[in-house]
Amino acid sequence: MLRVHFTGADLARTRIAEGPDPLWETVLSVHQLTEQRPDPALRAWRTRECRHGRAALRMLRPVMPPRGYFPDFLTPAASLGGLESGIDAVLSTPRQRLRAELARLVERATPPAWMRPLAEGEPDSLRRLGRALRAYHASVLRPAWPWIGRRTEHDRLWRAQTQSVAGTDAMLRTFGSLLRWRPPVLTVDYPVDRDLHLDGRGLVLVPSYFCRRLPVALADGALPPILVYPARPPGVRGTGGAERAAGAEGLAQLLGHTRAAVLQSLGGLCTTSELARRAGVSASSASEHAAVLRRAGLITSTRFRNRVHHSLTPLGTALLAGDTVPVTA
């Protein structure tokens, strides 16, 4: 379990990243290409991309194992500014940090011969790593970047709009069971038990296409706090089509077909007119159903200038996801 501890200053400094991070997507996609039990949704991508970038993948795989620790220097905060900014930061990593992080990595496996000079910061080895990162991105990620961007932008926009209109507290609640917000602590299912104290630095939440199971944080809590999470299209809950169909039918029996459709259309922050368009009902009908859902505690509505914006509450999110209903004090 990962527990992220916030102060008031941290809430003010927490934000959603402007888009996917190219080096985090590199590491997490390498995990998917080397995972023995990959996500079935990525099967076609794996089949296609395993034919490309093989030389780069051979070099990157040992430093990006799909289980356990991988070095933090491979995913610097600078890569949020773009691939080249990130690679420049990787190549500028101090020798002491290279040595310490790679030593921690090789505790678990026998390292390839080229890793020793890399740990010593030898320029040729660093340049070789930089070439591998660029080659992998060009052959594997760049062709997929448009749909990576579409998925992450859908998610990012929803949460950023919620934060803009209703505040950081409301935005953190949009994650439902993925990130459980019980102020002042954000709790995340995690392979190891640890506490991360933000201490006024804030948190950058980075949507990722290739993060498929649990959110991921840097191992070193002294580095700028980042939490990478699986980007999901708003309104899409569950994993299997049969499960979603069964859940939708059960929700319709509970709320009625029209009201259930209105609730399911609220995958992200939207106005009453947008809600009506999504659900296929009139604006007046959408407004009436929203009022009932609001009184039931399933949605929240916030007036912003001359419009009313609606979004799911944690209870509404849990109901759509089929999760256990969160208990509040």
Side-chain angles (χ1 to χ4, degrees), residues 15-318:
R15 63 184 178 88
I16 301 290
E18 291 299 314
D21 181 307
L23 289 185
W24 273 105
E25 293 303 286
T26 294
V27 171
L28 295 169
S29 63
V30 167
H31 289 176
Q32 290 298 330
L33 286 174
T34 56
E35 179 66 76
Q36 292 182 351
R37 299 177 61 186
D39 188 325
L42 294 175
R43 187 176 293 115
W45 172 81
R46 266 174 58 97
T47 301
R48 181 176 63 251
E49 300 308 337
C50 276
R51 305 190 191 105
H52 306 291
R54 289 179 178 174
L57 184 61
R58 279 195 297 271
M59 181 171 187
L60 297 178
R61 186 186 289 119
V63 292
M64 301 176 180
R67 290 285 184 271
Y69 173 81
F70 63 85
D72 286 334
F73 77 84
L74 294 170
T75 52
S79 64
L80 283 169
L83 178 67
E84 288 304 319
S85 296
I87 291 177
D88 286 346
V90 169
L91 302 189
S92 301
T93 305
R95 181 179 302 175
Q96 183 177 4
R97 183 178 169 192
L98 286 170
R99 188 181 297 125
E101 293 190 8
L102 289 171
R104 180 174 175 181
L105 176 66
V106 302
E107 288 174 357
R108 301 170 181 265
T110 303
W114 59 262
M115 199 178 290
R116 185 180 299 277
L118 179 66
E120 294 304 317
E122 291 189 7
D124 286 346
S125 294
L126 284 166
R127 283 193 291 268
R128 183 183 174 194
L129 175 61
R131 287 195 298 269
L133 289 169
R134 289 187 182 94
Y136 180 87
H137 191 275
S139 60
V140 177
L141 290 186
R142 188 179 296 159
W145 206 252
W147 44 266
I148 292 172
R150 283 194 295 272
R151 166 69 69 87
T152 55
E153 179 61 13
H154 203 175
D155 182 286
R156 186 201 71 79
L157 186 60
W158 169 30
R159 302 190 201 278
Q161 285 179 334
T162 300
Q163 183 178 29
S164 175
V165 173
T168 302
D169 182 270
M171 181 270 288
L172 291 174
R173 295 184 188 278
T174 65
F175 289 96
S177 62
L178 181 67
L179 310 175
R180 297 176 293 281
W181 174 236
R182 300 290 184 268
V185 179
L186 187 69
T187 305
V188 185
D189 290 333
Y190 215 66
V192 297
D193 192 66
R194 60 177 291 207
D195 289 271
L196 174 60
H197 293 269
L198 299 180
D199 294 328
R201 295 173 295 170
L203 180 67
V204 179
L205 292 152
V206 183
S208 166
Y209 183 84
F210 288 104
C211 183
R212 288 277 152 168
R213 293 187 178 92
L214 300 177
V216 189
L218 294 168
D220 186 351
L223 293 171
I226 286 178
L227 189 63
V228 181
Y229 67 90
R232 296 174 181 169
V236 175
R237 299 293 185 266
T239 54
E243 290 176 355
R244 286 197 295 271
E249 181 58 31
L251 196 63
Q253 291 176 4
L254 176 67
L255 301 176
H257 286 280
T258 304
R259 191 162 297 153
V262 170
L263 183 65
Q264 290 168 321
S265 298
L266 259 172
L269 191 72
C270 66
T271 65
T272 302
S273 58
E274 174 64 13
L275 181 60
R277 187 189 65 78
R278 292 183 189 179
V281 299
S282 67
S284 60
S285 177
S287 180
E288 291 172 5
H289 287 298
V292 174
L293 294 170
R294 184 168 56 250
R295 289 194 294 271
L298 299 176
I299 73 169
T300 183
S301 302
T302 306
R303 181 168 290 279
F304 183 68
R305 295 178 181 170
N306 62 340
R307 295 183 176 181
V308 176
H309 294 79
H310 310 284
S311 61
L312 292 168
T313 64
L315 182 62
T317 300

